[in-house]
Amino acid sequence: MTKIELVKAIAKETGVDQPTASVVVEAMMRTIKDAVIEGDTVYLRGFGTFGLKRRAEKTARNIARNTSLIVPAHNIPSFKPCREFQEAVAQLK
């Protein structure tokens, strides 16, 4: 599902027009992104948690050049779905 498809589905389910739904979706994504960038964790009950994970420094190999390089420690965004979400996906066949 793309963002446009998501906006259309939200507009259809809520009865609002697509431009309004688009503004809401954009605002939600921007707010979550800004909160995570600031180091906050965003909990959406019944959906999941957005946050940051710290990746430790590690040594990587460039096989083509047969060299090693150090990948510095860095943060990455993460999403952890809630238990109900995980269970629903696990039951798919």
Side-chain angles (χ1 to χ4, degrees), residues 7 10 16 18-31:
V7 167
I10 290 171
V16 299
Q18 286 186 18
T20 302
S22 178
V23 169
V24 171
V25 168
E26 288 289 337
M28 180 181 163
M29 291 188 319
R30 185 175 49 254
T31 303

Side-chain angles (χ1 to χ4, degrees), residues 28 44-50 79-85:
M28 180 181 163
L44 300 177
R45 187 175 301 266
F47 186 69
T49 304
F50 294 90
F79 173 73
K80 182 176 182 204
C82 72
R83 184 182 43 180
E84 295 85 12
F85 191 177

